[in-house]
Amino acid sequence: MSLTIENILLVGSLLLFISILIGKTSHRFGIPTLVLFLFVGMLAGSEGIGRIHFDNPQLAQFIGVVSLNFILFSGGLDTNWRSIKPVLWQGISLSTLGVLLTAVSLGLFVWWLTDFSLYEGLLLGAIVSSTDAAAVFSILRAKNIGLKSQLKPTLELESGSNDPMAYVLTIAFLSLVVTPEQSLLSIIPLFLQQMLLGALAGLLFGKLTKYIVNKIQLTYEGLYPVLVIALMFITFSATDFIGGNGFLAIYICAVFLANQDFIHKATIVKMFDSLAWLMQIVLFLTLGLLVFPSHILPVIGIGLLISLFLIFIARPLSVMVALTPFKMKMKQRLYISWVGLRGAVPIVFATYPLLAGIEKANMIFNIVFFISLTSVLVQGTTLNTIARWLRVSAPELAIPQMAQETFLSEEIKKVRTEIIIPEDGSVAGEKIVDLHFPRTALIAMINRGKEYLTPNGSTIIESGDRLVVLADDRESMNLVYECLKVAPTPKAI
C-alpha cells in the first residue's frame, strides 16, 4: 500500500487510534507502551498486514528530530530544579563520561566480535550509548514507580541530558568512518564547541523565551503554546546554526523555564505533555514502518551478543566509573545501570549512517533496531521487579497536581481572604506573573471599581484593587502578603 494525499490522514489517524487503544491495556501484560507502538508500525509496514511501503530514512530522520524536540522540551518542563540540584553533578557525569565510556567499551567489543573497522565499531557504540528520554520518562511515569533517595531525578536528568553527548559522538565517529585519515583527537574541538555553545544558547534562549512570553500581549490564551513552540524550534535551529548542540539547548531552555514564573504556564506545560505523547507515538510508528523485519533476522545472533554486552557489561561499567567520585550505595548504582533503556533515539541516530551512504549502514541500522527492541523489552518490563530485588523501591507517590488542578479540588484552599492594594502599594503596575505567588495560593478574583475580573498571569495589579485570594493554609497566606508587600490585615470573607 502506497501513501497518497487521499489516504494518509485516514491511515495515520487509524494507526494513532490503534496505538492508543493497545497502549491502554499494555500495563496488564507488563509490556512497555512504546514497544507496542513500534510493533503497530511494523505490522502496518511493507512486510506486515498493512503493506504500507515506507523506505525513506531522510523523512524518518526529520520526523525523529522534530519529535525529539518536543520530547526533550516536555521532559525539561517537568524537571524541578530543587529535585535535580542535589544530583546535578551525578547526572552530568552519567550523561557525559558515562556515555563516552559506554560508546568506547561497546565499540571495542563490536570491533573484536565482528568484521567492523575500529571506527565503525565506535560509531555503533556511539549510536546506542545514551539512554532514551522518551522510554525512561514514559515508563517511570506511566508505572508511577516510587524510588528511594534521589534515584528518580538522577535517572530522569541523565536520560534527558545525555542525548546531546551521544549525538556529538555519533557525528564525530561518522566523520571518521567517512574520512578515516582524520585523527581521533580531531573530535575533541567538535565536542567542546557543541556542548559549550549548546549550554550557553539554551540558557540564553530560556531567558529570552520567558521575557517574550511575559511581555507580549496576545489576545487569545491558545496562542501562547504556539508561541512557545515557535521559540523552541528557533532555539534548536539557531543553536545548530552557530555550531552548538540543539538538543542540549532545548533541554536546558525547558529546564530553565520549568523553574520560572511565566504567563499561562500550566496550559503550556499540559499542551507539551500531550504533544510529547503524540510525538512518541508518531516516532515509534514511523520507525516501525521504516524497519524491514526480514532484514533483522540475519543479525539476531550478533545483535543479541552486543545487546547482552551492553546491558550487563558496558552500561554497568560506565555507571560505576562515572559515579566513582560520589557517595552512593552499590544497590543504587546497580539500579541506575539497569535503567539504561535504549529506545527510539538510537534508531533515529542510526539513520545518519544510512544517509551518509557508508558501507555497513544497513547492518548498523538493523543491529541498533534489535538492540533498542531487546533493551526496552528486557529492562523496561523489569524495572519494578529489579527495584524490589535491590530494595530501592518506595511507596508509589501520587502524581503532583498543577496549580489550576488543585484550585478545582474540594479539599484545599481552606483560607479565603480579601486583600486591598493601597494607593501607594509597590506592586501596583506589576503583572501577577512577576509577583512570584506561592503555588499553594491563587488570586481567584479582582474587584476593580464596579468591575469583577478573572485574572491570569498577564493581569496588571492596580492601586485600590480588591483581591480575593485563596490559599491552602495560613502559612501560604503569609507568603502572599510578602509577595504583595502589604501588612497581614486582610478582610476575611
Side-chain angles (χ1 to χ4, degrees):
M1 176 180 177
S2 299
L3 293 179
T4 64
I5 296 175
E6 288 75 17
N7 63 27
I8 189 171
L9 288 177
L10 175 61
V11 172
S13 58
L14 283 175
L15 288 177
L16 281 174
F17 182 69
I18 293 170
S19 299
I20 292 171
L21 287 183
I22 294 177
K24 178 178 173 62
T25 58
S26 66
H27 66 279
R28 298 179 184 177
F29 308 100
I31 302 174
T33 304
L34 301 180
V35 174
L36 295 178
F37 297 159
L38 200 62
F39 281 139
V40 171
M42 294 172 67
L43 287 173
S46 55
E47 295 185 349
I49 59 177
R51 299 295 178 184
I52 299 174
H53 182 73
F54 181 75
D55 187 16
N56 191 334
Q58 188 170 12
L59 179 58
Q61 185 184 102
F62 173 77
I63 294 173
V65 170
V66 171
S67 300
L68 287 178
N69 270 261
F70 282 100
I71 293 168
L72 289 175
F73 200 85
S74 176
L77 286 179
D78 288 335
T79 302
N80 188 309
W81 173 251
R82 284 180 296 180
S83 66
I84 68 169
K85 187 177 179 180
V87 297
L88 179 63
W89 292 110
Q90 290 95 315
I92 291 176
S93 182
L94 287 169
S95 61
T96 53
L97 179 60
V99 169
L100 177 62
L101 292 174
T102 300
V104 172
S105 58
L106 187 64
L108 292 174
F109 177 75
V110 172
W111 178 44
W112 172 80
L113 179 68
T114 68
D115 62 346
F116 280 35
S117 68
L118 175 60
Y119 289 158
E120 288 171 341
L122 290 173
L123 173 60
L124 177 56
I127 291 173
V128 296
S129 60
S130 68
T131 57
D132 189 273
V136 174
F137 287 158
S138 63
I139 292 176
L140 286 180
R141 294 174 186 179
K143 293 189 175 185
N144 200 23
I145 298 174
L147 298 173
K148 293 179 180 179
S149 302
Q150 297 291 330
L151 277 178
K152 198 165 185 176
T154 301
L155 291 167
E156 294 190 347
L157 174 60
E158 180 202 7
S159 63
S161 60
N162 65 7
D163 290 339
M165 181 70 175
Y167 172 79
V168 172
L169 292 177
T170 298
I171 297 302
F173 289 130
L174 179 60
S175 68
L176 291 175
V177 172
V178 175
T179 55
E181 63 273 9
Q182 291 186 72
S183 168
L184 190 60
L185 297 177
S186 63
I187 69 174
I188 295 178
L190 173 64
F191 165 76
L192 295 176
Q193 173 186 311
Q194 283 267 315
M195 304 304 280
L196 291 177
L197 289 180
L200 291 174
L203 184 59
L204 175 63
F205 277 106
K207 293 182 177 181
L208 182 62
T209 299
K210 176 190 174 183
Y211 177 82
I212 292 175
V213 171
N214 284 343
K215 293 299 180 182
I216 196 170
Q217 298 291 329
L218 298 178
T219 306
Y220 302 104
E221 180 180 349
L223 289 176
Y224 282 89
V226 179
L227 173 65
V228 176
I229 290 175
L231 293 170
M232 176 191 72
F233 283 122
I234 289 173
T235 300
F236 177 82
S237 302
T239 304
D240 183 73
F241 179 77
I242 63 175
N245 193 300
F247 294 119
L248 179 61
I250 59 171
Y251 182 71
I252 291 179
C253 174
V255 172
F256 174 83
L257 290 173
N259 297 276
Q260 302 293 317
D261 293 321
F262 56 91
I263 295 172
H264 301 307
K265 182 176 182 178
T267 301
I268 291 170
V269 171
K270 279 189 172 182
M271 186 277 304
F272 268 96
D273 183 58
S274 298
L275 285 178
W277 270 108
L278 174 62
M279 291 298 111
Q280 288 178 40
I281 296 173
V282 170
L283 177 57
F284 276 80
L285 286 176
T286 301
L287 296 176
L289 288 171
L290 183 64
V291 73
F292 290 82
S294 62
H295 297 176
I296 302 294
L297 295 176
V299 301
I300 285 181
I302 295 176
L304 184 59
L305 290 174
I306 296 174
S307 186
L308 291 174
F309 183 86
L310 174 62
I311 293 173
F312 293 104
I313 298 179
R315 168 67 177 178
L317 175 65
S318 65
V319 169
M320 297 303 168
V321 175
L323 294 179
T324 298
F326 309 101
K327 292 181 180 180
M328 184 179 290
K329 295 180 179 179
M330 179 55 66
K331 58 184 181 182
Q332 295 173 341
R333 296 172 189 247
L334 290 174
Y335 190 73
I336 292 175
S337 300
W338 190 252
V339 191
L341 300 174
R342 271 67 188 172
V345 173
I347 305 175
V348 173
F349 288 170
T351 61
Y352 284 86
L354 287 174
L355 296 179
I358 67 173
E359 181 183 356
K360 292 186 173 63
N362 286 309
M363 188 174 185
I364 289 175
F365 180 85
N366 294 324
I367 291 175
V368 168
F369 188 92
F370 182 80
I371 290 172
S372 295
L373 190 60
T374 54
S375 173
V376 178
L377 279 175
V378 173
Q379 296 169 288
T381 56
T382 57
L383 293 184
N384 272 326
T385 303
I386 299 298
R388 288 194 297 269
W389 284 358
L390 294 174
R391 297 181 180 179
V392 295
S393 59
E396 293 185 357
L397 302 176
I399 299 174
Q401 292 179 309
M402 300 300 294
Q404 280 75 356
E405 293 173 330
T406 55
F407 172 71
L408 296 175
S409 173
E410 296 178 357
E411 299 180 358
I412 48 87
K413 306 306 178 206
K414 298 177 181 178
V415 181
R416 295 177 290 172
T417 58
E418 181 179 294
I419 300 176
I420 301 175
I421 304 300
E423 292 297 328
D424 58 348
S426 59
V427 299
E430 292 191 25
K431 293 181 180 180
I432 291 177
V433 72
D434 295 325
L435 298 178
H436 305 296
F437 251 53
R439 299 187 184 280
T440 50
L442 287 170
I443 300 177
M445 184 178 64
I446 297 178
N447 176 207
R448 182 174 294 165
K450 296 181 179 180
E451 294 182 324
Y452 290 89
L453 310 176
T454 302
N456 57 44
S458 61
T459 302
I460 297 176
I461 301 294
E462 296 182 5
S463 299
D465 281 351
R466 295 174 178 265
L467 312 181
V468 177
V469 182
L470 309 180
D472 287 2
D473 47 42
R474 288 296 175 185
E475 183 178 354
S476 298
M477 190 60 71
N478 289 333
L479 295 175
V480 171
Y481 303 148
E482 294 178 10
C483 292
L484 296 175
K485 300 177 183 177
V486 297
T489 55
K491 175 183 176 183
I493 57 174

